[in-house]
């Protein structure tokens, strides 16, 4: 080929690897990202000074590697009851200010490790509380 057609063909050959790199950088992370959801049975919280841990909320076996981007959580309390709550990973915990929410406080930690809730009665609470509906949604990269 000669002329304009030859220049376009050689330009396409030169741009091919660059275009592939740009697509890999923009599409690659989206393909590697994911999320997992886990639930645990409820717990009975009876003391202010002693935390109760939930059963582990473990990722499915298919989750291998990756790091946490954000975590959503939810649990249910009877009306008018109060607890102090934390969501924990083997490498650290975050305080939960509400019965549901989303946070990036665990971002960067391994996404293939289980999480668990930890609850204690709030100082104003005078009787045991049943905490139900424990759930996490982990978004990872």
């Amino acid at each position: 080929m000669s002329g304009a057609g030859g220049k376009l063909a050689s330009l396409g050959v030169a741009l091919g690897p660059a275009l592939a790199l740009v697509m890999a950088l923009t599409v690659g992370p989206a393909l590697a990202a994911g999320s997992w959801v886990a639930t645990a049975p409820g717990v009975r919280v009876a003391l202010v000074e002693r935390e109760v841990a939930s059963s582990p909320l473990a990722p499915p076996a298919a989750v291998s590697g990756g790091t946490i981007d954000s975590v959503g959580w939810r649990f249910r309390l009877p009306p008018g009851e109060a607890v102090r709550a934390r969501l924990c990973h083997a490498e650290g915990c975050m305080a939960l200010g509400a019965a549901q929410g989303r946070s990036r406080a665990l971002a960067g930690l391994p996404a293939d490790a289980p999480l668990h809730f930890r609850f204690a009665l709030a100082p104003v609470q005078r009787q045991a509380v049943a905490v139900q509906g424990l759930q996490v949604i982990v978004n990872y990269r």
Side-chain angles (χ1 to χ4, degrees):
M1 288 178 111
S2 63
K7 289 181 183 175
L8 287 177
S10 64
L11 181 60
V13 170
L15 288 179
L19 184 58
L21 178 61
V22 168
M23 290 192 63
L25 291 175
T26 57
V27 176
L31 294 175
S35 64
W36 58 268
V37 178
T39 60
V43 297
R44 187 176 182 320
V45 185
L47 299 170
V48 172
E49 64 277 358
R50 184 172 297 157
E51 288 185 321
V52 174
S54 71
S55 297
L57 295 111
V63 176
S64 177
T67 59
I68 294 174
D69 182 54
S70 66
V71 176
W73 71 88
R74 100 179 50 213
F75 58 86
R76 289 189 319 271
L77 295 169
E81 306 294 0
V83 296
R84 289 180 296 128
R86 298 190 304 155
L87 184 60
C88 297
H89 183 280
E91 296 184 28
C93 295
M94 65 181 202
L96 305 178
Q100 69 179 44
R102 182 177 165 174
S103 176
R104 293 183 44 91
L106 300 178
L109 297 178
D112 55 0
L115 301 174
H116 63 275
F117 286 97
R118 298 187 68 82
F119 298 102
L121 288 182
V124 299
Q125 186 69 40
R126 298 290 178 232
Q127 61 186 2
V129 174
V131 184
Q132 301 293 324
L134 309 179
Q135 180 184 54
V136 294
I137 301 171
V138 176
N139 297 302
Y140 66 93
R141 297 179 192 259

